[in-house]
Amino acid sequence: MYITARAATGAASKASAPKAAFRMPDGVEKRDRPLGGRHQVEWDALAEVLPGLPSPKNARQGRAMASLVLDAALEAQGRNRRTSYSRTEAWYSAQGPWLDSADYSYTTVVESVDALVKAGLLGDHDKVAPSKRATGWQSSYTAGAPLCTLVVPASAIVLPPKGLLRLRDRTTKDLLRFPDTDGTRRQHRWMERQNEAQASYDVWLDVGERRGHLLDFTGVKDGKVVKHTVDTRMTHSYRVFSGDRNHGGRLYGHYVQGVPSALREGIILCGEKSEELDFSCLHARFMYALAGILLSEDYDPYTAVEWGESLDPKRRRKLLKQGFNVLVNARNHPSATGAIASKIMLADGRKGVPEKGDYDGARAMIAAIKRAHPDVEKMFHQDLGVAFQKLDSEMMVGLLNDLTLSQGIPALAIHDSLIVPIRHKGKVQEAMKKALSETLASTMEKRASAVGYRGNLRHVQGNAPALRTGGSRPRPSSSDSASAKLTYPRRPARP
């Protein structure tokens, strides 16, 4: 994704590309979606249902233009985010091998966008001046009014994703060349087998509004109505790594991931009712494991925080969970404060720029979280989220390999949760518990070398947080737990 400058009113900024150190004020930045190209249709077929479609110079530009239109129309009829794209020739030379559409190039995309904007089919066009260095900023647009009601031609198809293993630059989000090794080739073959299995599943949702292969949903998020549109033909997944192969790696792409979580409860998977099983407080458990501490299953690291006691308990826990995870993912304290202030503002039903009270609440929340979790205090706002994503993605790949490919149990991954038929619930829960135990054990073995933690392994039981009462952390006795004598199961072989 790329970030496009916005003023507080939502209008596009016409400033030139920012310096590397530039950061939009907290609460007034908006993430755009990257250019998509998996939906394909011939220009002639699209022109029949879309009056005013500009004429292309050649067949390739016609296909590229049609793909741009379908991509914008489906987004306009769903979440309606801005779409970012590059107007730099070098970008297409570097990114060409991974673009979803083989017809996309500097010429076909830039000329098509300009023509579509002129025809009124794309709008709010924000051009960013080309820069000699990577900034992560790109030009962007929204769909014009005619695309909001466009009926997609029946002849339109969906291409499988191009690149099942993707490596993204952490700053620009551009795709990088994925190393070609025996290991990565094995991972690619595994992805092909998994996608073949997923494509064979009969998935049905008796919710939303169907328009052929499209499924529309309307929900409420952060106090505002949000629309979603998914294409039920998008059944392939791919893995996305961040910066290198040791960070990120989660599975993306299957249309079920775009279905609101509350509506996923109604999924019929291979003719059976399903249930979504997830790992509770997963990244908090990873963080404590790095400190050599094993959290018990009934410990809630969010409600252990003394903050916002006057709020509704459900709303309070949601905010604290968001704040905790922001602290795990943030790169520094100021960015964490701004992000949490925005969460508080949105939870209060307000939009725009966070106010002083929101920042005061964010700082108070951060202090309370750190007081409740002194054993991992130094790990907050240290950019550990992508490292933890690598851990949970490896767990998910191992589970899918065991359940789907080895035992034939249908399963769909939603980042760190699995949707499975209810009759397999017990077996899947046992497999998930084993995978988590092995991952935590492995993490505790090589705990916290990057952040300087030392000390014996310990356990945190029940709902009491591991609070320090002063002085150094006491070392457990030999009878404190089996910490000093723990034997760890061997990690499962990678698929």
Side-chain angles (χ1 to χ4, degrees):
M1 294 183 180
Y2 296 86
I3 299 176
T4 300
R6 295 280 176 273
T9 60
S13 169
K14 299 303 180 182
S16 59
K19 297 180 180 180
F22 181 86
R23 174 180 170 79
M24 287 296 293
D26 296 305
V28 294
E29 62 181 29
K30 184 174 181 179
R31 292 190 176 273
D32 303 332
R33 59 181 293 273
L35 183 66
R38 291 178 60 186
H39 287 86
Q40 301 277 306
V41 68
E42 291 297 326
W43 183 91
D44 293 339
L46 185 60
E48 291 179 3
V49 297
L50 185 60
L53 182 66
S55 299
K57 290 183 177 180
N58 50 53
R60 183 184 181 188
Q61 186 178 18
R63 291 190 299 270
M65 184 183 295
S67 185
L68 288 167
V69 168
L70 290 185
D71 182 61
L74 292 174
E75 183 60 29
Q77 297 171 27
R79 298 175 65 181
N80 199 25
R81 296 165 294 177
R82 298 183 66 85
T83 297
S84 62
Y85 75 103
S86 177
R87 298 183 70 90
T88 304
E89 190 169 359
W91 187 88
Y92 291 91
S93 298
Q95 298 296 296
W98 300 285
L99 294 176
D100 285 325
S101 173
D103 296 307
Y104 282 173
S105 68
Y106 170 74
T107 301
T108 60
V109 170
V110 172
E111 291 185 357
S112 294
V113 169
D114 289 344
L116 291 168
V117 170
K118 186 176 181 180
L121 299 179
L122 298 179
D124 196 10
H125 192 200
D126 185 13
K127 292 184 181 181
V128 173
S131 175
K132 293 182 179 180
R133 55 187 172 83
T135 64
W137 289 61
Q138 290 189 335
S139 301
S140 63
Y141 56 79
T142 59
L147 301 191
C148 296
T149 56
L150 176 69
V151 177
V152 178
S155 59
I157 62 172
V158 176
L159 299 177
K162 200 172 181 181
L164 300 182
L165 301 174
R166 304 185 181 188
L167 179 63
R168 288 195 179 276
D169 182 279
R170 294 205 61 193
T171 301
T172 67
K173 306 303 180 185
D174 288 345
L175 290 169
L176 307 174
R177 188 172 298 280
F178 206 89
D180 184 16
T181 66
D182 290 341
T184 59
R185 285 192 288 271
R186 283 196 299 272
Q187 291 182 48
H188 193 276
R189 288 194 295 271
W190 182 88
M191 287 298 307
E192 290 178 331
R193 292 171 57 209
Q194 178 63 24
N195 280 331
E196 184 179 351
Q198 289 178 178
S200 69
Y201 297 161
D202 180 16
V203 184
W204 179 258
L205 289 87
D206 193 19
V207 292
E209 180 182 345
R210 287 190 174 269
R211 293 184 290 127
H213 295 290
L214 303 180
L215 197 54
D216 299 329
F217 306 97
T218 301
V220 178
K221 183 177 182 180
D222 295 326
K224 61 181 181 180
V225 176
V226 179
K227 292 178 62 181
H228 295 262
T229 296
V230 297
D231 192 317
T232 57
R233 294 171 295 181
M234 300 182 76
T235 60
H236 289 73
S237 297
Y238 52 89
R239 295 186 72 181
V240 179
F241 296 84
S242 181
D244 57 49
R245 288 181 292 167
N246 295 320
H247 295 85
R250 282 182 167 181
L251 291 160
Y252 295 89
H254 198 288
Y255 79 87
V256 166
Q257 293 182 340
V259 178
S261 57
L263 300 181
R264 292 200 292 261
E265 298 175 359
I267 289 178
I268 303 299
L269 181 56
C270 296
E272 303 181 54
K273 290 184 178 181
S274 68
E275 185 169 339
E276 185 171 348
L277 308 175
D278 64 358
F279 293 98
S280 175
C281 312
L282 189 56
H283 284 193
R285 298 186 187 283
F286 288 159
M287 181 176 280
Y288 266 91
L290 279 176
I293 302 172
L294 183 65
L295 296 183
S296 63
E297 293 183 7
D298 59 350
Y299 177 69
D300 189 330
Y302 313 132
T303 56
V305 179
E306 296 180 355
W307 179 90
E309 287 82 355
S310 62
L311 298 175
D312 171 76
K314 186 175 180 180
R315 180 186 177 191
R316 174 177 175 268
R317 187 183 186 279
K318 180 180 179 180
L319 271 172
L320 285 169
K321 178 180 179 180
Q322 291 176 336
F324 190 101
N325 288 326
V326 164
L327 287 174
V328 172
N329 288 281
R331 298 190 180 191
N332 51 59
H333 188 279
S335 66
T337 304
I340 294 175
S342 296
K343 300 288 186 186
I344 293 174
M345 174 192 69
L346 292 172
D348 197 35
R350 292 178 286 113
K351 301 178 182 179
V353 183
E355 301 172 356
K356 181 180 182 299
D358 301 321
Y359 282 98
D360 291 341
R363 284 187 282 268
M365 181 192 291
I366 291 173
I369 291 174
K370 290 183 176 181
R371 284 196 304 271
H373 301 285
D375 293 285
V376 295
E377 177 182 353
K378 293 181 181 179
M379 295 188 193
F380 287 125
H381 45 77
Q382 296 295 321
D383 195 26
L384 289 177
V386 287
F388 292 160
Q389 286 182 15
K390 179 61 178 347
L391 294 178
D392 67 49
S393 69
E394 290 297 325
M395 287 171 51
M396 199 56 59
V397 167
L399 285 166
L400 290 173
N401 188 61
D402 176 32
L403 299 172
T404 300
L405 301 184
S406 297
Q407 301 185 49
I409 298 175
L412 296 172
I414 311 291
H415 302 319
D416 58 356
S417 65
L418 283 172
I419 297 175
V420 297
I422 289 179
R423 70 185 176 99
H424 295 297
K425 177 179 177 179
K427 183 180 292 186
V428 174
Q429 285 179 321
E430 284 300 314
M432 293 174 69
K433 185 176 181 180
K434 179 182 177 183
L436 178 59
S437 175
E438 292 173 346
T439 301
L440 292 177
S442 175
T443 303
M444 292 172 78
E445 283 185 317
K446 43 192 178 185
R447 59 192 182 277
S449 60
V451 287
Y453 273 89
R454 294 178 178 82
N456 292 339
L457 304 180
R458 4 190 233 120
H459 293 256
V460 176
Q461 301 286 345
N463 290 319
L467 293 175
R468 253 194 219 112
T469 57
S472 60
R473 190 170 64 204
R475 292 178 177 271
S477 66
S478 58
S479 60
D480 189 23
S481 70
S483 299
K485 302 178 182 179
L486 281 177
T487 58
Y488 302 108
R490 299 179 67 180
R491 299 187 73 183
R494 294 183 179 178

